[in-house]
Amino acid sequence: SITRKTSVNKVYFDNLFQVVCATDLIICVSVVPNAVSFFDERNGAWFDNEVFCSGWGLLWEILPYFSVFLVGLMSISRLIVLNWPLLKLNSTIMFSFVFGYAIYLILRSIIP
């Protein structure tokens, strides 16, 4: 049997959960313009600004894919830890995947 006092992958999963929480926070905050628009009798409110609309639209084009990617990364990480409990996962590699996928999504959205 394998016994250990603390998980060797605690830092990895702490970092991954922080990225998930930050993404969820951005999703929640980015809903505020919709709420303002609804409370203002569905007037444009912040959406009258073309720059804001472009940035907000880009954000909402990226966030759903990014959120699903993070859930998948978390599931794959748990699968790896369950199959190889002594393997230490590297946070640097995880951040490389996260930033790489974020850049891919941004470029995919910007470049026609």
Side-chain angles (χ1 to χ4, degrees), residues 4-18:
R4 52 178 180 231
K5 293 181 180 178
T6 59
S7 172
V8 295
N9 293 310
K10 181 179 180 342
V11 172
Y12 175 88
F13 284 105
D14 285 348
N15 290 336
L16 184 55
F17 283 125
Q18 287 175 355

Side-chain angles (χ1 to χ4, degrees), residues 63-84:
L63 284 175
Y65 291 106
F66 193 65
S67 182
V68 170
F69 169 77
L70 291 175
V71 170
L73 184 60
M74 193 180 316
S75 297
I76 291 169
S77 299
R78 294 300 304 157
L79 177 70
I80 290 170
V81 168
L82 289 173
N83 282 327
W84 298 282

Side-chain angles (χ1 to χ4, degrees), residues 29-34 47 51-61:
V29 168
S30 65
V31 173
V32 170
N34 284 355
F47 293 103
V51 174
F52 174 79
C53 271
S54 298
W56 188 85
L58 177 66
L59 191 66
W60 271 101
E61 193 172 323

Side-chain angles (χ1 to χ4, degrees), residues 81-100:
V81 168
L82 289 173
N83 282 327
W84 298 282
L86 297 178
L87 181 67
K88 183 171 178 2
L89 299 176
N90 189 340
S91 290
T92 306
I93 294 173
M94 182 265 298
F95 281 125
S96 299
F97 281 126
V98 168
F99 288 125

Side-chain angles (χ1 to χ4, degrees), residues 35-49:
V36 169
S37 179
F38 286 131
F39 287 127
D40 194 21
E41 297 178 4
R42 295 186 185 245
N43 290 329
W46 296 350
F47 293 103
D48 291 338
N49 185 337

